[in-house]
């Protein structure tokens, strides 16, 4: 039996987490959310995550720090970085530090879905 891919969405804006959870769960993904870096770390320690969608701006830690944790502890877990405040430099830094891809908010759902599908090799 093939397991359903599990995605962790980390964003300090609950509305974004809720919207992405609704949209991605309709595509058959199992979704967990976190509104802070500490909550994300807790979710990561609780179980397997197949993909992480991380906002760069979190209330308690830098999204790049969280991304580095994910890539160090779970090297096979792709990380897609999202940011509404990002610059070209932050995108380059995220990719250099191991992000699978970088999405600038606001993005179209189709763009996110294609990026997620590509990360899973679909």
């Amino acid at each position: 039996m093939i397991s359903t891919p599990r995605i962790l969405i980390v964003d300090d804006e609950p509305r974004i987490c809720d919207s992405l959870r609704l949209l991605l769960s309709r595509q058959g993904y199992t979704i967990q959310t976190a509104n802070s870096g500490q909550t994300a770390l807790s979710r990561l320690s609780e179980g397997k995550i197949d993909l992480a969608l991380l906002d760069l701006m979190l209330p308690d830690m830098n999204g790049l720090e969280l991304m580095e944790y994910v890539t160090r502890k779970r090297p096979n877990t792709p990380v897609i970085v999202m940011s509404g405040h990002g610059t070209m430099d932050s995108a380059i830094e995220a990719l250099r530090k191991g992000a699978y891809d970088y999405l600038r908010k606001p993005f179209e759902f189709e763009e996110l879905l294609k990026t997620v599908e590509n990360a899973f090799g679909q």
Side-chain angles (χ1 to χ4, degrees), residues 42-55:
S42 176
R43 299 266 190 279
L44 287 163
S45 69
E46 289 170 1
K48 188 174 184 306
I49 298 296
D50 299 305
L51 175 84
L53 289 170
L54 305 179
D55 187 15

Side-chain angles (χ1 to χ4, degrees), residues 12 18 27 32 67 112-114 120:
D12 61 330
D18 292 343
Q27 301 299 313
Q32 289 189 334
M67 185 194 75
L112 170 67
L113 186 57
K114 188 65 175 166
F120 285 130

Side-chain angles (χ1 to χ4, degrees), residues 6-11 16 20 24 29 31 44 49-58 63-64 66-68 70-71 74-84 90-91 93-95 97-105 107-122:
R6 291 166 294 247
I7 299 174
L8 174 62
I9 300 168
V10 185
D11 197 298
I16 290 177
L20 293 178
L24 289 169
Y29 298 109
I31 307 298
L44 287 163
I49 298 296
D50 299 305
L51 175 84
L53 289 170
L54 305 179
D55 187 15
L56 285 181
M57 303 294 285
L58 299 172
L64 289 176
L66 182 57
M67 185 194 75
E68 288 174 1
V70 173
T71 57
R74 297 173 182 253
N76 296 325
T77 301
V79 176
I80 298 171
V81 173
M82 312 176 288
S83 182
S90 64
E93 183 177 4
L95 294 169
K97 290 185 175 188
Y100 174 79
D101 209 340
Y102 182 95
L103 295 172
R104 181 156 171 74
K105 295 180 194 175
F107 47 78
E108 295 293 324
F109 178 66
E110 292 78 21
E111 178 185 12
L112 170 67
L113 186 57
K114 188 65 175 166
T115 304
V116 167
E117 289 172 350
N118 287 342
F120 285 130
Q122 299 176 345

Side-chain angles (χ1 to χ4, degrees), residues 85-98:
H85 307 286
T87 63
M88 185 59 75
D89 288 341
S90 64
I92 291 169
E93 183 177 4
L95 294 169
R96 187 176 56 79
K97 290 185 175 188

